[in-house]
């Protein structure tokens, strides 16, 4: 017997700690109702969905309201031209704020209100900062583009953002080899890993790469793509290890370089799940090798020694290395190999300034850079530097 239809769409996600997180959407409109981590229950979400179904269709949000500002922004050509992922993130933030402030006049959203919203995200600083940036963008649009009456100052301008540390994780060769070995029976994931590392492109762009983008020039395989986020057209010369993965037969006869097991475009969510399965296998193998190398774990009768041994074993695993860290890893490896900033920027699609900022952030932590400099110094021999005399 089919279940009765409700006005609620429930999405569940299992967190690394084993707990399940629920997000509820209004089925008819697709609007976000609430999340379990924010205190919402299914009963409250059902009640809200029922009230939304019962509401009469309105001509639109009230004039001068926050909802009107959002509606104008979402239909603005500059928003429509943004990359799909960027639009998806902005819509998520805007829907959340519209749920709170839909009919409130924009002039009623004060700095105090903004601070109160930001304070709710102390345990999720990244999301709190992203929400505040979207609000600042909306308010600037209302001030400068719409010139909404009474809106002269941006309450989200110059906010006190949470301090968040930039990710500095880099894949080393040992862990790269461990993942590729674990993915031996998953050729699509091996190819995806190689594309992420050696093309230094975003995962979303890698999943859309297809055979027509691949061509050969002067004996080397190249990939020509247009980045979804920036719109930049990039010609990527393939590393020899990537070329070896590309010439391997592709299952399913699909034109995509990385496809789902059925030979169809891989949704990012399902791709992430398949990636995590291989990651768990790689971690299990690394942990087993580390335990064997130690001669086993201390007995449970010595809990402190056992926990110290486990800590050492966990340090050999992939830890919190992520797919997105491969792009940064590739850029760092290029710099260590002697590539210039313009060369790296031409490959990654960043501007030269952006590429330099990335290298300024991550290269100082890499001892290989200092070692390479010393080795070049040693190869050059001792030379006397003659300083020019000052003119009088």
């Amino acid at each position: 017997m089919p279940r009765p239809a409700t006005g609620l769409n429930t999405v569940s996600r299992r967190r690394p700690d084993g707990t399940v997180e629920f997000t509820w959407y209004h089925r008819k409109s697709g609007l976000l109702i609430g999340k379990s981590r924010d205190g919402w229950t299914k009963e409250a979400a059902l009640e809200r969905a029922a009230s939304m179904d019962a509401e009469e269709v309105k001509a639109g949000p009230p004039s001068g309201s926050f909802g009107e500002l959002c509606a104008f922004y979402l239909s603005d050509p500059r928003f429509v031209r943004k990359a799909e992922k960027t639009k998806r993130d902005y819509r998520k933030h805007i829907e959340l704020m519209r749920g709170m402030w839909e009919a409130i006049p924009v002039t009623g959203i004060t700095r105090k209100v903004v601070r109160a919203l930001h304070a709710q995200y102390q345990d999720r600083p990244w999301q709190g900062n992203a929400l505040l940036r979207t609000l600042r963008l909306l308010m600037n649009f209302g001030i400068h583009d719409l010139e909404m009456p009474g809106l002269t100052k941006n309450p989200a301008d110059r906010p006190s953002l949470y301090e968040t540390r930039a990710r500095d994780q880099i894949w080393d060769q040992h862990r790269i080899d461990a993942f590729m070995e674990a993915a031996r029976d998953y050729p699509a994931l091996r190819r995806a890993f190689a594309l992420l590392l050696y093309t230094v492109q975003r995962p979303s762009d890698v999943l859309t790469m297809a055979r027509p983008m691949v061509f050969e020039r002067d004996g080397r395989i190249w990939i020509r793509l247009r980045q979804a986020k920036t719109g930049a057209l990039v010609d990527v010369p393939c590393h020899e290890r990537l070329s070896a993965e590309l010439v391997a037969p592709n299952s399913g006869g699909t034109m995509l370089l990385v496809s789902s097991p059925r030979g169809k475009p891989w949704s990012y969510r399902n791709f992430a799940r398949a990636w995590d399965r291989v990651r768990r296998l790689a971690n299990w193998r690394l942990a087993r090798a580390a335990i064997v190398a130690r001669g086993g774990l201390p007995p449970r009768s010595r809990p402190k020694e056992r926990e110290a041994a486990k800590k050492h074993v966990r340090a050999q695993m992939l830890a919190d290395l992520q797919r997105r860290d491969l792009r940064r890893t590739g850029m760092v490896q290029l710099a260590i190999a002697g590539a210039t900033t313009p060369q790296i920027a031409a490959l990654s699609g960043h501007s030269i300034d952006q590429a330099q900022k990335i290298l300024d952030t991550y290269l100082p932590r890499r001892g290989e850079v200092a070692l390479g400099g010393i080795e070049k110094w040693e190869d050059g021999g001792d030379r006397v530097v003659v300083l020019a005399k000052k003119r009088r």
Side-chain angles (χ1 to χ4, degrees):
M1 181 176 179
R3 292 184 297 176
T6 66
L8 197 64
N9 185 22
T10 304
V11 177
S12 62
R13 184 172 72 92
R14 184 173 296 276
R15 297 176 60 83
D17 59 3
T19 60
V20 179
E21 183 179 282
F22 296 97
T23 304
W24 292 285
Y25 298 89
H26 185 225
R27 186 181 298 278
K28 187 175 181 180
S29 65
L31 293 175
L32 173 69
I33 292 179
K35 301 181 179 182
S36 59
R37 69 184 179 200
D38 294 329
W40 280 82
T41 62
K42 185 175 182 179
E43 290 73 19
L46 282 169
E47 184 178 348
R48 174 58 180 157
S51 66
M52 292 173 71
D53 287 336
E55 289 179 357
E56 296 182 0
V57 178
K58 299 180 181 179
S63 178
S65 66
F66 182 79
E68 183 188 47
L69 169 63
C70 295
F72 273 115
Y73 178 74
L74 291 174
S75 62
D76 186 76
R78 284 174 296 181
F79 174 78
V80 175
R81 289 195 297 266
K82 291 184 180 296
E84 287 302 319
K85 184 179 184 305
T86 303
K87 291 193 289 187
R88 189 163 57 247
D89 291 341
Y90 281 5
R91 283 198 186 100
K92 180 176 66 175
H93 301 154
I94 290 171
E95 288 173 5
L96 180 63
M97 291 185 286
R98 287 186 77 169
M100 299 182 292
W101 304 332
E102 173 73 9
I104 294 179
V106 288
T107 54
I109 301 175
T110 62
R111 190 173 291 274
K112 180 179 178 181
V113 172
V114 173
R115 284 184 175 273
L117 171 67
H118 196 222
Q120 298 176 18
Y121 288 85
Q122 293 182 13
D123 59 333
R124 290 161 284 159
W126 286 99
Q127 296 180 26
N129 290 347
L131 195 67
L132 220 56
R133 292 188 185 101
T134 303
L135 178 58
R136 180 173 55 193
L137 178 69
L138 280 171
M139 289 299 187
N140 281 333
F141 179 76
I143 294 171
H144 303 296
D145 293 76
L146 301 183
E147 297 182 355
M148 299 184 75
L151 186 61
T152 58
K153 294 183 178 180
N154 190 336
D157 194 21
R158 299 190 303 275
S160 299
L161 297 176
Y162 294 117
E163 292 186 3
T164 53
R165 192 182 70 176
R167 287 187 61 81
D168 57 2
Q169 285 80 353
I170 299 292
W171 289 72
D172 56 29
Q173 193 60 47
H174 174 64
R175 290 173 175 82
I176 290 173
D177 294 340
F179 188 96
M180 293 293 277
E181 179 62 27
R184 182 173 294 278
D185 296 330
Y186 305 90
L189 287 171
R190 282 181 60 92
R191 182 171 293 168
F193 191 98
L195 285 166
L196 288 168
L197 176 61
Y198 294 114
T199 68
V200 293
Q201 301 300 317
R202 298 176 181 86
S204 57
D205 288 324
V206 165
L207 291 181
T208 60
M209 290 181 181
R211 285 291 171 187
M213 301 179 183
V214 181
F215 63 97
E216 186 173 342
R217 186 169 67 200
D218 298 331
R220 182 178 291 276
I221 296 177
W222 294 66
I223 299 176
R224 176 172 293 165
L225 73 145
R226 188 173 296 278
Q227 293 181 332
K229 183 175 181 179
T230 65
L233 185 63
V234 183
D235 280 357
V236 180
C238 294
H239 191 286
E240 57 184 9
R241 292 175 186 165
L242 173 58
S243 297
E245 294 294 333
L246 292 180
V247 298
N250 197 4
S251 60
T254 178
M255 296 295 287
L256 292 169
L257 297 185
V258 179
S259 63
S260 72
R262 296 183 179 181
K264 296 181 179 180
W266 216 335
S267 69
Y268 194 81
R269 183 177 183 180
N270 289 337
F271 171 71
R273 287 175 173 173
W275 179 283
D276 289 342
R277 285 196 295 270
V278 174
R279 184 175 179 274
R280 287 193 292 270
L281 177 59
N283 275 332
W284 179 79
R285 290 180 176 179
L286 287 169
R288 184 178 64 176
I291 292 173
V292 170
R294 291 179 58 87
L297 293 175
R300 289 185 173 85
S301 59
R302 302 201 300 254
K304 290 185 178 180
E305 295 180 21
R306 186 178 180 86
E307 184 56 35
K310 286 184 176 181
K311 185 177 180 180
H312 173 78
V313 170
R314 285 192 290 267
Q316 312 302 313
M317 298 163 65
L318 299 185
D320 61 344
L321 290 170
Q322 300 178 7
R323 294 174 291 279
R324 57 177 172 160
D325 298 329
L326 287 170
R327 191 181 194 204
R328 178 168 56 250
T329 299
M331 295 178 70
V332 168
Q333 291 298 334
L334 281 164
I336 292 173
T340 64
T341 301
Q343 288 173 331
I344 296 172
L347 186 64
S348 68
H350 291 98
S351 68
I352 293 178
D353 288 343
Q354 287 176 319
Q356 188 60 55
K357 286 180 181 179
I358 293 173
L359 298 177
D360 287 344
T361 301
Y362 300 107
L363 274 181
R365 296 184 175 89
R366 309 299 296 171
E368 298 94 327
V369 180
L371 177 60
I374 292 296
E375 289 176 344
K376 288 183 179 179
W377 189 0
E378 291 172 344
D379 293 340
D382 295 329
R383 298 178 183 176
V384 178
V385 179
V386 180
L387 300 178
K389 296 181 179 180
K390 290 184 178 181
R391 294 183 178 178
R392 296 183 178 178

